[in-house]
Amino acid sequence: MPLGPASSAINIQGPTVLEASSNVLRTPTKVTIHPVALFSILDHYLRRTEHQDRVIGTLLGTRHENEVEVRSSFAVLHSETDEQVAVDMDYHRTMYELHHKVNPKEVIVGWYSTGSNLNTYSALIQNFYSQETAPHQAIHVALNTGVEEGQEAGVKAYISSPVGVFPKPENCVFVPVPVELRFHDAERAGLDLLVDTANSSSSTSPQPVADLEIIEKAILSVSDMLDRVLSYVRAVLAGEKKGDPAVGRYLMDTLGASTDDLEKGSFNASLQDTLMVTYLANLVRSQAEVSSRLALTAAS
């Protein structure tokens, strides 16, 4: 799910010496963010002091070749004035050690800030996080809350590139990187509840729905998608619409993989569980009948 308005900026990817030799280090070309990280950033923004124009924090996640996946984040104390910027590095490292004990697979991938203002202080903070993520590049996620007049809410991601023959920490250019929202199936119910609350005309927020209602909505959604796919396939077979080979391959791979998983995976496991429960129930029933007959025989 794309975040924010479409950008016409050119994404620059320059290969380094290490990339050309071993392909171990690669420039991030895509950033995905989970809702938990976004909610943490918004909560940090709501708890800011009156004198803070923006808040910053650390992003935690994983790297997969050219993609960076942001799974969580935590706030970092900092103060920013017209003359200087100060970041509590000890607090940052202490929080990261605590997070690392809980989630050892998550590492520092960059930092976040609220607002869309990229200045010299942003370059200095980017330089600090580049040292924390070395030898990988640090990403910067800018979340615009949209509370300021004329500002549109959205999320943008950047990587930095040094400028000049003898680059300084405060001299760099921020290169935009495509960013998307990614969420698991278990998080969809919470997101749907937030959307219903935002679209509700009443001041009372809707209550979380039961599991059966969630399953019912999911089944109705799947049924609607299957109807659309079926109508598309029928239109292509009847010659009413020109078929798209990419869509056909995608449907074949999706339905084929789903059928294979259904036959060999979860369906067999569920069937075995059902048969085991049925067998145990019949065994208990037979045992009870034998016991009752033995009791009647002993009594007579």
Short mmCIF file of all heavy atoms in Angstrom, two decimals, residues 103-168:
data_model
loop_
_atom_site.label_atom_id
_atom_site.label_comp_id
_atom_site.label_asym_id
_atom_site.label_seq_id
_atom_site.Cartn_x
_atom_site.Cartn_y
_atom_site.Cartn_z
N ASN A 103 13.77 -8.77 20.75
CA ASN A 103 13.74 -9.13 19.32
C ASN A 103 15.16 -9.11 18.77
O ASN A 103 15.61 -8.08 18.23
CB ASN A 103 12.86 -8.16 18.52
CG ASN A 103 11.41 -8.20 18.97
OD1 ASN A 103 10.83 -9.27 19.08
ND2 ASN A 103 10.83 -7.04 19.24
N PRO A 104 15.90 -10.21 18.91
CA PRO A 104 17.30 -10.22 18.45
C PRO A 104 17.45 -10.03 16.95
O PRO A 104 18.51 -9.60 16.50
CB PRO A 104 17.81 -11.60 18.89
CG PRO A 104 16.82 -12.09 19.91
CD PRO A 104 15.52 -11.48 19.54
N LYS A 105 16.41 -10.36 16.17
CA LYS A 105 16.53 -10.27 14.72
C LYS A 105 16.39 -8.83 14.21
O LYS A 105 16.76 -8.54 13.07
CB LYS A 105 15.48 -11.15 14.05
CG LYS A 105 15.67 -12.64 14.30
CD LYS A 105 14.63 -13.46 13.56
CE LYS A 105 14.83 -14.94 13.81
NZ LYS A 105 13.81 -15.77 13.09
N GLU A 106 15.83 -7.95 15.02
CA GLU A 106 15.65 -6.56 14.60
C GLU A 106 16.88 -5.74 14.92
O GLU A 106 17.37 -5.76 16.05
CB GLU A 106 14.41 -5.95 15.27
CG GLU A 106 13.11 -6.62 14.85
CD GLU A 106 11.90 -5.93 15.46
OE1 GLU A 106 12.09 -4.92 16.18
OE2 GLU A 106 10.77 -6.39 15.22
N VAL A 107 17.37 -5.01 13.93
CA VAL A 107 18.55 -4.17 14.08
C VAL A 107 18.18 -2.73 13.73
O VAL A 107 17.09 -2.45 13.23
CB VAL A 107 19.69 -4.66 13.16
CG1 VAL A 107 20.12 -6.07 13.55
CG2 VAL A 107 19.27 -4.63 11.69
N ILE A 108 19.09 -1.83 14.00
CA ILE A 108 18.88 -0.42 13.68
C ILE A 108 19.00 -0.24 12.16
O ILE A 108 20.01 -0.60 11.56
CB ILE A 108 19.89 0.47 14.40
CG1 ILE A 108 19.76 0.31 15.92
CG2 ILE A 108 19.70 1.93 14.01
CD1 ILE A 108 20.80 1.08 16.71
N VAL A 109 17.96 0.29 11.56
CA VAL A 109 17.98 0.52 10.11
C VAL A 109 17.96 2.00 9.77
O VAL A 109 18.18 2.37 8.60
CB VAL A 109 16.78 -0.18 9.43
CG1 VAL A 109 16.90 -1.69 9.58
CG2 VAL A 109 15.46 0.31 10.00
N GLY A 110 17.71 2.86 10.75
CA GLY A 110 17.69 4.29 10.48
C GLY A 110 16.97 5.06 11.57
O GLY A 110 16.92 4.62 12.72
N TRP A 111 16.39 6.19 11.19
CA TRP A 111 15.72 7.05 12.17
C TRP A 111 14.52 7.71 11.52
O TRP A 111 14.35 7.69 10.30
CB TRP A 111 16.68 8.10 12.72
CG TRP A 111 17.16 9.10 11.70
CD1 TRP A 111 18.00 8.86 10.65
CD2 TRP A 111 16.81 10.49 11.61
NE1 TRP A 111 18.20 10.01 9.93
CE2 TRP A 111 17.49 11.02 10.49
CE3 TRP A 111 16.01 11.33 12.39
CZ2 TRP A 111 17.39 12.37 10.13
CZ3 TRP A 111 15.90 12.68 12.02
CH2 TRP A 111 16.58 13.17 10.91
N TYR A 112 13.65 8.26 12.37
CA TYR A 112 12.46 8.94 11.88
C TYR A 112 12.38 10.34 12.46
O TYR A 112 13.01 10.66 13.48
CB TYR A 112 11.20 8.15 12.24
CG TYR A 112 10.85 8.15 13.71
CD1 TYR A 112 10.17 9.22 14.30
CD2 TYR A 112 11.18 7.08 14.53
CE1 TYR A 112 9.85 9.23 15.65
CE2 TYR A 112 10.86 7.07 15.88
CZ TYR A 112 10.19 8.15 16.43
OH TYR A 112 9.88 8.16 17.77
N SER A 113 11.58 11.15 11.83
CA SER A 113 11.25 12.48 12.33
C SER A 113 9.88 12.86 11.81
O SER A 113 9.41 12.33 10.80
CB SER A 113 12.30 13.52 11.89
OG SER A 113 12.24 13.71 10.48
N THR A 114 9.24 13.77 12.52
CA THR A 114 7.94 14.27 12.08
C THR A 114 8.14 15.58 11.34
O THR A 114 9.07 16.34 11.60
CB THR A 114 7.00 14.48 13.28
OG1 THR A 114 7.64 15.34 14.24
CG2 THR A 114 6.67 13.16 13.93
N GLY A 115 7.24 15.84 10.40
CA GLY A 115 7.38 17.03 9.57
C GLY A 115 8.14 16.72 8.29
O GLY A 115 8.66 15.61 8.09
N SER A 116 8.21 17.70 7.42
CA SER A 116 8.86 17.52 6.13
C SER A 116 10.08 18.42 5.97
O SER A 116 10.57 18.60 4.86
CB SER A 116 7.87 17.81 5.00
OG SER A 116 7.33 19.12 5.14
N ASN A 117 10.57 18.99 7.08
CA ASN A 117 11.69 19.92 7.01
C ASN A 117 13.00 19.15 7.10
O ASN A 117 13.31 18.52 8.12
CB ASN A 117 11.59 20.94 8.15
CG ASN A 117 12.68 21.99 8.05
OD1 ASN A 117 13.24 22.20 6.97
ND2 ASN A 117 12.98 22.63 9.16
N LEU A 118 13.79 19.17 6.04
CA LEU A 118 15.12 18.57 6.03
C LEU A 118 16.14 19.70 6.00
O LEU A 118 16.23 20.45 5.03
CB LEU A 118 15.29 17.67 4.80
CG LEU A 118 14.35 16.46 4.72
CD1 LEU A 118 14.56 15.72 3.41
CD2 LEU A 118 14.58 15.52 5.90
N ASN A 119 16.93 19.80 7.07
CA ASN A 119 17.88 20.89 7.20
C ASN A 119 19.26 20.34 7.57
O ASN A 119 19.52 19.14 7.49
CB ASN A 119 17.39 21.90 8.24
CG ASN A 119 16.98 21.22 9.54
OD1 ASN A 119 17.49 20.16 9.88
ND2 ASN A 119 16.05 21.83 10.27
N THR A 120 20.13 21.24 8.00
CA THR A 120 21.48 20.84 8.38
C THR A 120 21.47 19.90 9.58
O THR A 120 22.27 18.96 9.65
CB THR A 120 22.33 22.09 8.70
OG1 THR A 120 22.31 22.96 7.57
CG2 THR A 120 23.77 21.71 9.02
N TYR A 121 20.56 20.14 10.53
CA TYR A 121 20.47 19.27 11.70
C TYR A 121 20.05 17.86 11.28
O TYR A 121 20.51 16.86 11.87
CB TYR A 121 19.49 19.84 12.71
CG TYR A 121 19.93 21.15 13.31
CD1 TYR A 121 19.01 22.06 13.83
CD2 TYR A 121 21.28 21.49 13.38
CE1 TYR A 121 19.41 23.26 14.38
CE2 TYR A 121 21.69 22.69 13.93
CZ TYR A 121 20.75 23.57 14.43
OH TYR A 121 21.16 24.77 14.98
N SER A 122 19.19 17.77 10.28
CA SER A 122 18.80 16.45 9.78
C SER A 122 20.01 15.71 9.22
O SER A 122 20.14 14.49 9.38
CB SER A 122 17.73 16.59 8.71
OG SER A 122 16.56 17.22 9.22
N ALA A 123 20.90 16.44 8.54
CA ALA A 123 22.10 15.82 8.00
C ALA A 123 23.02 15.34 9.12
O ALA A 123 23.64 14.27 9.02
CB ALA A 123 22.84 16.81 7.10
N LEU A 124 23.11 16.09 10.20
CA LEU A 124 23.95 15.68 11.33
C LEU A 124 23.38 14.42 12.00
O LEU A 124 24.12 13.50 12.35
CB LEU A 124 24.07 16.82 12.34
CG LEU A 124 24.85 18.05 11.89
CD1 LEU A 124 24.75 19.16 12.93
CD2 LEU A 124 26.31 17.69 11.65
N ILE A 125 22.06 14.39 12.18
CA ILE A 125 21.44 13.20 12.78
C ILE A 125 21.59 12.01 11.84
O ILE A 125 21.84 10.88 12.29
CB ILE A 125 19.96 13.49 13.09
CG1 ILE A 125 19.83 14.65 14.07
CG2 ILE A 125 19.29 12.25 13.66
CD1 ILE A 125 18.40 15.09 14.33
N GLN A 126 21.47 12.24 10.55
CA GLN A 126 21.66 11.17 9.58
C GLN A 126 23.08 10.62 9.64
O GLN A 126 23.30 9.39 9.54
CB GLN A 126 21.36 11.69 8.17
CG GLN A 126 21.60 10.70 7.05
CD GLN A 126 20.54 9.61 6.99
OE1 GLN A 126 19.52 9.70 7.68
NE2 GLN A 126 20.77 8.60 6.17
N ASN A 127 24.05 11.49 9.85
CA ASN A 127 25.44 11.05 9.97
C ASN A 127 25.63 10.18 11.21
O ASN A 127 26.35 9.17 11.17
CB ASN A 127 26.35 12.27 10.03
CG ASN A 127 27.82 11.87 10.18
OD1 ASN A 127 28.45 11.35 9.28
ND2 ASN A 127 28.37 12.16 11.36
N PHE A 128 24.98 10.53 12.31
CA PHE A 128 25.08 9.73 13.53
C PHE A 128 24.49 8.34 13.31
O PHE A 128 25.11 7.33 13.68
CB PHE A 128 24.36 10.44 14.68
CG PHE A 128 24.07 9.55 15.85
CD1 PHE A 128 25.09 9.09 16.67
CD2 PHE A 128 22.76 9.17 16.14
CE1 PHE A 128 24.82 8.26 17.74
CE2 PHE A 128 22.49 8.35 17.20
CZ PHE A 128 23.53 7.89 18.02
N TYR A 129 23.33 8.26 12.68
CA TYR A 129 22.70 6.95 12.47
C TYR A 129 23.42 6.15 11.40
O TYR A 129 23.36 4.91 11.40
CB TYR A 129 21.23 7.13 12.11
CG TYR A 129 20.35 7.30 13.33
CD1 TYR A 129 20.01 8.56 13.79
CD2 TYR A 129 19.88 6.19 14.04
CE1 TYR A 129 19.21 8.72 14.91
CE2 TYR A 129 19.09 6.34 15.15
CZ TYR A 129 18.75 7.61 15.59
OH TYR A 129 17.98 7.76 16.71
N SER A 130 24.10 6.82 10.48
CA SER A 130 24.90 6.09 9.50
C SER A 130 26.05 5.36 10.18
O SER A 130 26.44 4.27 9.75
CB SER A 130 25.45 7.07 8.45
OG SER A 130 24.39 7.66 7.72
N GLN A 131 26.59 5.94 11.24
CA GLN A 131 27.62 5.25 12.02
C GLN A 131 27.03 4.07 12.80
O GLN A 131 27.71 3.05 12.99
CB GLN A 131 28.29 6.23 12.99
CG GLN A 131 29.00 7.39 12.29
CD GLN A 131 29.51 8.42 13.28
OE1 GLN A 131 29.44 8.24 14.49
NE2 GLN A 131 30.02 9.53 12.76
N GLU A 132 25.76 4.19 13.22
CA GLU A 132 25.13 3.11 13.96
C GLU A 132 24.78 1.93 13.05
O GLU A 132 24.77 0.78 13.51
CB GLU A 132 23.86 3.63 14.65
CG GLU A 132 24.10 4.66 15.73
CD GLU A 132 24.79 4.07 16.94
OE1 GLU A 132 24.28 3.09 17.51
OE2 GLU A 132 25.87 4.59 17.31
N THR A 133 24.46 2.21 11.80
CA THR A 133 24.06 1.15 10.88
C THR A 133 25.20 0.68 9.98
O THR A 133 24.98 -0.19 9.12
CB THR A 133 22.90 1.62 9.98
OG1 THR A 133 23.34 2.75 9.21
CG2 THR A 133 21.70 2.02 10.82
N ALA A 134 26.39 1.26 10.11
CA ALA A 134 27.52 0.90 9.26
C ALA A 134 27.78 -0.61 9.34
O ALA A 134 27.62 -1.22 10.41
CB ALA A 134 28.77 1.67 9.68
N PRO A 135 28.11 -1.26 8.22
CA PRO A 135 28.44 -0.67 6.91
C PRO A 135 27.24 -0.42 6.00
O PRO A 135 27.41 -0.02 4.87
CB PRO A 135 29.35 -1.75 6.29
CG PRO A 135 28.80 -3.02 6.83
CD PRO A 135 28.35 -2.72 8.23
N HIS A 136 26.01 -0.66 6.51
CA HIS A 136 24.82 -0.42 5.69
C HIS A 136 24.43 1.05 5.75
O HIS A 136 24.80 1.78 6.69
CB HIS A 136 23.66 -1.28 6.19
CG HIS A 136 23.94 -2.76 6.16
ND1 HIS A 136 23.81 -3.52 5.03
CD2 HIS A 136 24.36 -3.60 7.13
CE1 HIS A 136 24.13 -4.77 5.29
NE2 HIS A 136 24.46 -4.85 6.56
N GLN A 137 23.67 1.48 4.76
CA GLN A 137 23.17 2.84 4.73
C GLN A 137 21.98 2.99 5.66
O GLN A 137 21.13 2.10 5.74
CB GLN A 137 22.78 3.25 3.31
CG GLN A 137 23.95 3.60 2.41
CD GLN A 137 23.45 4.20 1.10
OE1 GLN A 137 22.67 3.59 0.39
NE2 GLN A 137 23.93 5.37 0.78
N ALA A 138 21.92 4.12 6.34
CA ALA A 138 20.79 4.42 7.22
C ALA A 138 19.68 5.08 6.41
O ALA A 138 19.94 5.91 5.53
CB ALA A 138 21.22 5.32 8.36
N ILE A 139 18.45 4.72 6.70
CA ILE A 139 17.30 5.34 6.04
C ILE A 139 16.69 6.36 6.98
O ILE A 139 16.83 6.28 8.21
CB ILE A 139 16.25 4.29 5.63
CG1 ILE A 139 15.67 3.62 6.89
CG2 ILE A 139 16.82 3.29 4.67
CD1 ILE A 139 14.44 2.78 6.60
N HIS A 140 16.05 7.34 6.41
CA HIS A 140 15.34 8.36 7.18
C HIS A 140 13.89 8.39 6.74
O HIS A 140 13.60 8.53 5.54
CB HIS A 140 15.98 9.74 6.97
CG HIS A 140 15.17 10.86 7.55
ND1 HIS A 140 14.66 10.82 8.83
CD2 HIS A 140 14.78 12.05 7.02
CE1 HIS A 140 13.99 11.93 9.07
NE2 HIS A 140 14.04 12.69 7.99
N VAL A 141 12.97 8.21 7.68
CA VAL A 141 11.54 8.24 7.42
C VAL A 141 10.97 9.53 7.99
O VAL A 141 11.10 9.80 9.18
CB VAL A 141 10.83 7.02 8.03
CG1 VAL A 141 9.32 7.16 7.91
CG2 VAL A 141 11.29 5.74 7.35
N ALA A 142 10.38 10.34 7.12
CA ALA A 142 9.75 11.60 7.53
C ALA A 142 8.24 11.44 7.48
O ALA A 142 7.67 11.18 6.41
CB ALA A 142 10.20 12.73 6.62
N LEU A 143 7.61 11.56 8.63
CA LEU A 143 6.16 11.41 8.74
C LEU A 143 5.54 12.80 8.91
O LEU A 143 5.80 13.48 9.90
CB LEU A 143 5.79 10.51 9.91
CG LEU A 143 4.32 10.08 10.03
CD1 LEU A 143 4.22 8.72 10.69
CD2 LEU A 143 3.51 11.09 10.84
N ASN A 144 4.77 13.21 7.94
CA ASN A 144 4.07 14.49 8.01
C ASN A 144 2.68 14.24 8.55
O ASN A 144 1.88 13.53 7.94
CB ASN A 144 4.01 15.14 6.62
CG ASN A 144 3.68 16.62 6.71
OD1 ASN A 144 3.03 17.07 7.64
ND2 ASN A 144 4.12 17.38 5.72
N THR A 145 2.38 14.80 9.71
CA THR A 145 1.09 14.56 10.36
C THR A 145 -0.05 15.32 9.71
O THR A 145 -1.22 14.99 9.94
CB THR A 145 1.18 14.94 11.84
OG1 THR A 145 1.59 16.32 11.95
CG2 THR A 145 2.20 14.05 12.55
N GLY A 146 0.25 16.35 8.93
CA GLY A 146 -0.79 17.10 8.25
C GLY A 146 -1.53 18.09 9.13
O GLY A 146 -2.56 18.63 8.72
N VAL A 147 -1.03 18.35 10.35
CA VAL A 147 -1.71 19.29 11.24
C VAL A 147 -1.41 20.74 10.86
O VAL A 147 -2.20 21.63 11.17
CB VAL A 147 -1.30 19.03 12.70
CG1 VAL A 147 -1.76 17.66 13.14
CG2 VAL A 147 0.21 19.16 12.89
N GLU A 148 -0.28 20.97 10.20
CA GLU A 148 0.04 22.34 9.79
C GLU A 148 -0.72 22.69 8.51
O GLU A 148 -0.95 21.84 7.65
CB GLU A 148 1.55 22.48 9.56
CG GLU A 148 2.38 22.23 10.81
CD GLU A 148 3.86 22.41 10.54
OE1 GLU A 148 4.21 22.80 9.40
OE2 GLU A 148 4.66 22.16 11.45
N GLU A 149 -1.08 23.94 8.42
CA GLU A 149 -1.87 24.40 7.27
C GLU A 149 -1.03 24.33 5.99
O GLU A 149 0.14 24.74 5.96
CB GLU A 149 -2.34 25.83 7.51
CG GLU A 149 -3.28 26.35 6.44
CD GLU A 149 -3.79 27.74 6.74
OE1 GLU A 149 -3.46 28.26 7.83
OE2 GLU A 149 -4.51 28.30 5.89
N GLY A 150 -1.61 23.76 4.97
CA GLY A 150 -0.92 23.64 3.70
C GLY A 150 -0.06 22.40 3.58
O GLY A 150 0.52 22.16 2.52
N GLN A 151 0.03 21.61 4.65
CA GLN A 151 0.83 20.39 4.63
C GLN A 151 -0.08 19.19 4.48
O GLN A 151 -1.12 19.10 5.14
CB GLN A 151 1.66 20.26 5.92
CG GLN A 151 2.69 21.36 6.11
CD GLN A 151 3.85 21.24 5.15
OE1 GLN A 151 4.13 20.16 4.63
NE2 GLN A 151 4.53 22.35 4.90
N GLU A 152 0.31 18.27 3.61
CA GLU A 152 -0.48 17.06 3.37
C GLU A 152 0.12 15.90 4.15
O GLU A 152 1.35 15.70 4.15
CB GLU A 152 -0.49 16.72 1.88
CG GLU A 152 -1.38 15.54 1.52
CD GLU A 152 -1.42 15.30 0.03
OE1 GLU A 152 -0.79 16.08 -0.71
OE2 GLU A 152 -2.09 14.33 -0.39
N ALA A 153 -0.73 15.14 4.84
CA ALA A 153 -0.25 14.01 5.63
C ALA A 153 0.31 12.93 4.70
O ALA A 153 -0.23 12.67 3.63
CB ALA A 153 -1.38 13.44 6.49
N GLY A 154 1.39 12.31 5.15
CA GLY A 154 2.00 11.26 4.35
C GLY A 154 3.33 10.84 4.93
O GLY A 154 3.82 11.42 5.92
N VAL A 155 3.91 9.83 4.35
CA VAL A 155 5.18 9.28 4.81
C VAL A 155 6.14 9.23 3.63
O VAL A 155 5.78 8.79 2.54
CB VAL A 155 5.01 7.86 5.41
CG1 VAL A 155 6.34 7.32 5.89
CG2 VAL A 155 4.00 7.89 6.54
N LYS A 156 7.37 9.69 3.86
CA LYS A 156 8.41 9.64 2.85
C LYS A 156 9.68 9.04 3.46
O LYS A 156 9.93 9.19 4.65
CB LYS A 156 8.72 11.04 2.30
CG LYS A 156 7.56 11.67 1.54
CD LYS A 156 7.93 13.03 0.99
CE LYS A 156 6.78 13.66 0.22
NZ LYS A 156 7.14 14.99 -0.33
N ALA A 157 10.44 8.36 2.63
CA ALA A 157 11.69 7.74 3.08
C ALA A 157 12.84 8.26 2.23
O ALA A 157 12.68 8.55 1.04
CB ALA A 157 11.60 6.22 2.98
N TYR A 158 14.01 8.37 2.87
CA TYR A 158 15.19 8.91 2.19
C TYR A 158 16.42 8.10 2.58
O TYR A 158 16.47 7.46 3.63
CB TYR A 158 15.43 10.38 2.58
CG TYR A 158 14.29 11.32 2.31
CD1 TYR A 158 13.32 11.56 3.29
CD2 TYR A 158 14.18 11.98 1.09
CE1 TYR A 158 12.27 12.43 3.06
CE2 TYR A 158 13.12 12.86 0.86
CZ TYR A 158 12.18 13.08 1.84
OH TYR A 158 11.14 13.95 1.61
N ILE A 159 17.41 8.17 1.70
CA ILE A 159 18.77 7.79 2.02
C ILE A 159 19.64 8.99 1.72
O ILE A 159 19.23 9.90 0.98
CB ILE A 159 19.25 6.56 1.22
CG1 ILE A 159 19.16 6.83 -0.28
CG2 ILE A 159 18.46 5.32 1.61
CD1 ILE A 159 19.74 5.71 -1.14
N SER A 160 20.83 9.03 2.28
CA SER A 160 21.69 10.20 2.13
C SER A 160 22.86 9.89 1.23
O SER A 160 23.31 8.75 1.11
CB SER A 160 22.19 10.68 3.49
OG SER A 160 22.99 9.67 4.10
N SER A 161 23.35 10.94 0.59
CA SER A 161 24.52 10.84 -0.26
C SER A 161 25.40 12.05 0.02
O SER A 161 24.90 13.19 0.04
CB SER A 161 24.13 10.80 -1.73
OG SER A 161 25.27 10.74 -2.56
N PRO A 162 26.71 11.87 0.28
CA PRO A 162 27.59 13.01 0.59
C PRO A 162 27.75 13.95 -0.59
O PRO A 162 27.65 13.55 -1.75
CB PRO A 162 28.91 12.34 0.98
CG PRO A 162 28.87 11.01 0.30
CD PRO A 162 27.44 10.60 0.28
N VAL A 163 28.02 15.20 -0.28
CA VAL A 163 28.18 16.23 -1.30
C VAL A 163 29.52 16.91 -1.09
O VAL A 163 29.90 17.22 0.04
CB VAL A 163 27.04 17.27 -1.23
CG1 VAL A 163 27.27 18.39 -2.23
CG2 VAL A 163 25.71 16.61 -1.48
N GLY A 164 30.24 17.14 -2.17
CA GLY A 164 31.50 17.86 -2.10
C GLY A 164 32.71 16.95 -2.26
O GLY A 164 32.62 15.72 -2.10
N VAL A 165 33.86 17.58 -2.57
CA VAL A 165 35.10 16.82 -2.71
C VAL A 165 35.55 16.28 -1.37
O VAL A 165 35.98 15.12 -1.24
CB VAL A 165 36.19 17.71 -3.34
CG1 VAL A 165 37.50 16.93 -3.49
CG2 VAL A 165 35.73 18.26 -4.67
N PHE A 166 35.46 17.11 -0.34
CA PHE A 166 35.76 16.70 1.03
C PHE A 166 34.47 16.84 1.84
O PHE A 166 34.24 17.87 2.49
CB PHE A 166 36.88 17.54 1.63
CG PHE A 166 38.16 17.49 0.84
CD1 PHE A 166 38.50 18.53 -0.03
CD2 PHE A 166 39.01 16.40 0.96
CE1 PHE A 166 39.68 18.47 -0.76
CE2 PHE A 166 40.19 16.34 0.23
CZ PHE A 166 40.52 17.39 -0.65
N PRO A 167 33.58 15.84 1.77
CA PRO A 167 32.25 15.97 2.39
C PRO A 167 32.34 16.08 3.91
O PRO A 167 33.16 15.46 4.56
CB PRO A 167 31.55 14.68 1.97
CG PRO A 167 32.65 13.72 1.68
CD PRO A 167 33.79 14.53 1.14
N LYS A 168 31.47 16.91 4.45
CA LYS A 168 31.34 17.08 5.89
C LYS A 168 30.02 16.44 6.35
O LYS A 168 29.11 16.23 5.54
CB LYS A 168 31.36 18.56 6.24
CG LYS A 168 32.66 19.27 5.88
CD LYS A 168 32.60 20.73 6.29
CE LYS A 168 33.91 21.44 5.93
NZ LYS A 168 33.87 22.88 6.31
#
